[in-house]
């Protein structure tokens, strides 16, 4: 079983845009391609795990989400990097669309997306890391048995200031590139 880095999408891999509902709003951070390429070369599976309640709220449809992920993949590929897979949760307890209105195990902070990725891709959570810009990303990673990094991009700086009681990450760093450096120094021994 391989190690992985489970990545939140918005605010971690790409710029935070609220509900990303147009492709022209998609922007990778300047370091994203290099960071993912380093993970690939070090033998980590790079896997996106993202809450996408915009689907359940009727803001976007699933085919558009696939187009966004295809666009990310194209940019990564042009830079010699790749995502192993994308997992998303379209559900929300207050979703506008009844078929998506539910409490589920896949919506972060629940660990369902990571658990499914570990099963599907033969990944070892104990050798893996979850990186995100919200405490719910950290909680998801901890619940799945991974190490965790909170990054200050996206909502991260604000989240760091509003740490919930009992919340902790293995590291709090400025961005994904710093997180990858920490992962390569700490998790490959």
């Amino acid at each position: 079983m391989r190690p992985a880095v489970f990545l939140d999408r918005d605010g971690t891999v790409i710029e935070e845009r609220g509900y990303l509902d147009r492709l022209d709003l998609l922007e990778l951070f300047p370091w994203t391609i290099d960071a993912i390429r380093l993970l690939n070369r070090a033998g980590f599976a790079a896997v996106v795990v993202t809450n996408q309640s915009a689907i359940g709220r009727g803001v976007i449809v699933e085919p558009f989400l696939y187009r966004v992920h295809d666009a990310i993949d194209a940019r990564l590929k042009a830079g010699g990097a790749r995502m192993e897979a994308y997992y998303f949760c379209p559900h929300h307890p207050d979703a506008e669309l009844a078929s998506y209105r539910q409490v589920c195990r896949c919506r972060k902070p629940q660990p369902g997306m990571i658990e499914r990725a570990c099963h599907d891709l033969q990944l070892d959570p104990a050798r893996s890391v979850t990186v995100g810009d919200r405490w719910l990303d950290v909680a998801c990673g901890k619940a799945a048995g991974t190490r965790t990094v909170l990054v200050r991009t996206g909502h991260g700086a604000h989240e760091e200031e509003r740490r919930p009681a009992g919340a902790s990450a293995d590291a709090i760093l400025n961005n994904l590139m710093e997180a990858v450096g920490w992962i390569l120094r700490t998790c490959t021994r």
Side-chain angles (χ1 to χ4, degrees):
M1 291 180 41
R2 300 177 296 154
V5 177
F6 299 103
L7 299 158
D8 174 55
R9 192 189 78 178
D10 303 325
T12 304
V13 172
I14 66 172
E15 293 276 356
E16 174 64 50
R17 299 287 188 225
Y19 292 128
L20 179 62
D21 59 355
R22 297 188 344 243
L23 275 179
D24 64 312
L25 296 175
L26 174 64
E27 188 172 341
L28 274 64
F29 286 110
W31 50 79
T32 295
I33 294 171
D34 292 335
I36 302 302
R37 188 175 51 246
L38 286 170
L39 291 173
N40 297 154
R41 288 181 180 167
F44 287 89
V47 178
V48 167
V49 289
T50 179
N51 285 348
Q52 291 296 317
S53 68
I55 295 169
R57 295 177 191 275
V59 176
I60 65 169
V61 294
E62 286 190 37
F64 175 76
L65 181 67
Y66 298 130
R67 287 179 47 216
V68 169
H69 294 166
D70 288 346
I72 293 171
D73 281 343
R75 293 176 192 187
L76 291 174
K77 182 178 180 183
R82 73 179 182 91
M83 285 295 174
E84 186 90 10
Y86 294 83
Y87 289 82
F88 68 92
C89 174
H91 309 115
H92 193 279
D94 301 322
E96 307 276 327
L97 304 174
S99 59
Y100 296 105
R101 190 179 312 127
Q102 61 179 286
V103 175
C104 63
R105 187 157 175 80
C106 61
R107 183 169 177 76
K108 292 184 282 184
Q110 298 300 314
M113 286 187 281
I114 292 176
E115 291 170 345
R116 195 166 97 227
C118 287
H119 177 265
D120 293 350
L121 304 171
Q122 300 299 301
L123 304 173
D124 182 359
R127 295 173 50 216
S128 299
V129 181
T130 301
V131 181
D133 69 323
R134 292 186 179 263
W135 287 112
L136 64 82
D137 300 312
V138 170
C140 173
K142 284 190 176 294
T146 74
R147 290 183 179 185
T148 58
V149 176
L150 179 74
V151 290
R152 294 184 180 106
T153 49
H155 294 284
H158 184 65
E159 289 273 311
E160 182 182 12
E161 295 172 3
R162 297 181 21 219
R163 181 188 308 242
S168 67
D170 292 291
I172 300 175
L173 301 163
N174 287 323
N175 56 51
L176 178 59
M177 183 57 88
E178 285 189 13
V180 168
W182 180 86
I183 291 164
L184 297 179
R185 286 189 309 276
T186 308
C187 303
T188 56
R189 296 177 189 174

